[in-house]
Amino acid sequence: MDFPFSDALKRLPEQFFAGLVHKVSLLEQEGHDIIKLGQGNPDLPTPQHIVDKLKEASDNPAYHKYSPFRGFDFLRQAVCDFYAREYKVELDPETEVAIMFGSKTGLVEISQCLLNPGDLALLPDPGYPDYMSGIELAQARTSLMPLTAALDFLPDYTAITDEDLEEAKLLFLNYPNNPTAATANQAFFDKTVELAKKHQICVLHDFAYGALGYDGKKPQSFLQSEGSKEVGIEMYTLSKTYNMAGWRIAFAVGNASVIESINLIQDHVYVSLFGAMQEAAAYALTSDQICVEELLQTYELRRDAFLGHLRAIGWEVPEPKGTFFVWLPVPKGYTSEAFADLLLEEAHVAVAPGNGFGAYGEGYVRAGLLDSEERLLEAAKRIEKLGIFSKT
Ligand SMILES: Cc1ncc(COP(=O)(O)O)c(C=O)c1O
């Protein structure tokens, strides 16, 4: 028997990238070697000292029981130590930290926590698709904020109508930004705090790529802006900083009432993460950070190799400021999807068409620097062979 899905499930947006994964797997089944740069899954393993800590901690029988609902005190304290060390931001481990099962979960939960049916959320376009999933589940509405190259992929708050500013309850931001690879500075976040205070909007800053800022420029935390804790929270994941995407661990920090709302929904849906994982995560946050510096260097070398070759063949590509993505303008005469199809079918290089991230992503494709320098160079050479750029 097939049971009908709830209306809430039916409202969920289509998974745009499922189609791409399917196309890639069909070509692979035909025996083609596809260089997969379409997704955002870190390719390198978790640093060994973190894995070793998990192994050791998993022997502790105290962790074989249910964990405390809101996570172990030592992990919430480690999060505070991490923010004090990295951003000089002081946090209260009792009231200003929530432990989460990866930030994808938190990003969907936040709309259930703060939005009623019909409420309005301000959303970047292009943006990470899961923000929309949470909004749809909550039966809320969106007002889209275009991110364009002309404004360094920052939203133009003056372009939002007065009506939308008055109605908006939640504002989603994400810097370093997926998919555009842009970063934000303190002046932008200061302006955001001012806007949020004036219109009583809660700010959700998704800081998933907080560790990944290029050329010595450390990404700015939203919480470094004065007054930010009064108006919002930041979500941080261990997935990208420590290559721990499979471990599913993240946290939210900031405004105590919003943190309480996340903890409250989680009290009902989960018991907290396996204690040994929490110990390993605390260790990751507080032990030597050389692994993070090395990771950043690896992505920089990959970026230089890949973009260097693309530029040499005449593809004018802008420099990413952060994340492990590059946001590539498609050549004239192609849509994002047509160009991504061409790269996949003719060059056997998979990239994500920009329109999958929103209408303002049209005209771009996103590539992840998530394979070795050699493979990225090979991808660029395969693109060269297509003969569509001026210097080929
Ligand atoms: C912008 C952004 N936010 C959040 C996430 C989710 O990360 P996780 O659920 O692994 O914490 C991702 C993952 O790709 C992302 O790109």
Side-chain angles (χ1 to χ4, degrees), residues 86-89 186 190 207 218-226 228 234:
E86 296 291 325
Y87 307 111
K88 310 268 176 290
V89 168
Q186 173 141 13
D190 288 349
F207 205 26
K218 189 179 172 73
Q220 183 81 20
S221 159
F222 172 63
L223 293 192
Q224 286 173 300
S225 281
E226 212 177 310
S228 54
E234 184 155 85

Side-chain angles (χ1 to χ4, degrees), residues 40-42 100-107 127-128 130-131 174 176-179 206-209 236-240 244-246 248-250 324-325 366:
N41 201 348
M100 305 185 307
F101 284 74
S103 56
K104 182 177 163 81
T105 317
L107 291 165
Y128 182 63
D130 288 323
Y131 308 147
N174 162 226
N177 182 260
N178 175 10
D206 176 0
F207 205 26
Y209 299 91
Y236 194 101
T237 175
L238 277 73
S239 295
K240 323 283 175 175
M244 290 171 71
R248 313 308 305 133
I249 180 154
F324 46 50
F325 297 114
R366 189 195 73 180

